[in-house]
Amino acid sequence: MIYLDNCATTRVFDQAAEQAARFMLKDYCNSSAPYAAALDNEKSFNAFRREIAGSIGAQADEIYFTSGGTESDNTVIFGAADRQRKKIIISATEHPAVYEAAMHAKEYGAEVAVLPVDPEGRVRLKDLDEQLSPDCALVSIMHVNNETGVINPIGELAELAHRKAPGCIFHSDGVQAHMRIECDVKKLGIDAYSVSGHKIHAPKGIGALYISRNCRIKQLFYGGGQQNGFRSGTVNLPAVAGYAAACRMFEQNDYVSNISRIKEVFRQNLKSCVINSSAAPTAPHILSVGFEGLQASTLQNALESMGVIVGKGSACSSRSSRLSRTLESMGLPRAIAEGTVRIGIGALNTVQEAEQACEIINQTTQRLMRFRRK
């Protein structure tokens, strides 16, 4: 099988699995307990926390571990509410973890403004400028789009939000950016940033939320007071350990260069297709490819039968038959949007796999196009 849906999830690095297993099978004590073995685990937890914080330029005490990107995003959306500020600004192409949470926040009195995007899928400064006002509590714009890979100008957007609406929280969903493109939350001026382990070859069920020391977000979990009282619940140390190991693997190996080479193989060798967002900067691991006149689900199934796994839209909603909200917001012609699949490249893919996959995709699309409606 040639697995090219690494935007949905990834195979765990052997080293990450081994480190996680250590804290399940050997050093399994609750790190919040008072005895010596638990205190050793607490030291390990703090070291892992520093490691993951450092991967985005944050301090350890600004990192809170969650169950994943969805929880991190939801925590910000629902925790940023302010009695004096009710406005939330998001983009039309946000991941459902942000978009659907913001829509639900309307039930609690929030006013939600949805920014359009340009034809490449990027948020424009002028559109954010028009929506910013003193009653703005939160701006949430994703760093890398999970469907197209387009990179938003997060630093410029954050600067504008803080200048036009002082006190406003600027959050970014960085799930598809983490470890694939450079990110320093301090330099970018971000108040809150969401990341997730299973997108970078760490175990599922672990995410992290950066919250700047200067930013106040209301907690959603109450209980034993773990993680400085912000996110109660027994810390998932095995998953945190695996996450830290995955970050270390990316830092010690030049996976991103290899991923970029593989992406170029697809760009050069795929035929009879449209590469979406080709005129904008995109992350190295995501390629959104449209085959006019085909149905993405049909192509996805046909490729699976040939041993190639590709994605379609957000992994959280990829079984839906509805047209992608992201591609629709970009104004992509329906015939192309309906035939768009996502190639997600991971650290464990090879150039040889990419070359083989291109041959299979070209053969499969050529065969299917003979049956498309004119």
Side-chain angles (χ1 to χ4, degrees), residues 168-189:
C168 169
I169 296 171
F170 189 93
H171 164 257
S172 184
D173 179 331
V175 167
Q176 292 296 344
H178 190 210
M179 306 309 297
R180 272 69 58 90
I181 68 171
E182 186 177 350
C183 174
D184 186 314
V185 291
K186 301 297 184 182
K187 291 180 180 178
L188 291 173

Side-chain angles (χ1 to χ4, degrees), residues 12-21 201 241-242 245-246 248-249 253 255:
V12 176
F13 284 133
D14 291 346
Q15 295 85 343
E18 290 165 4
Q19 185 152 290
H201 304 273
R248 197 178 313 128
M249 289 292 290
N253 300 277
Y255 291 127

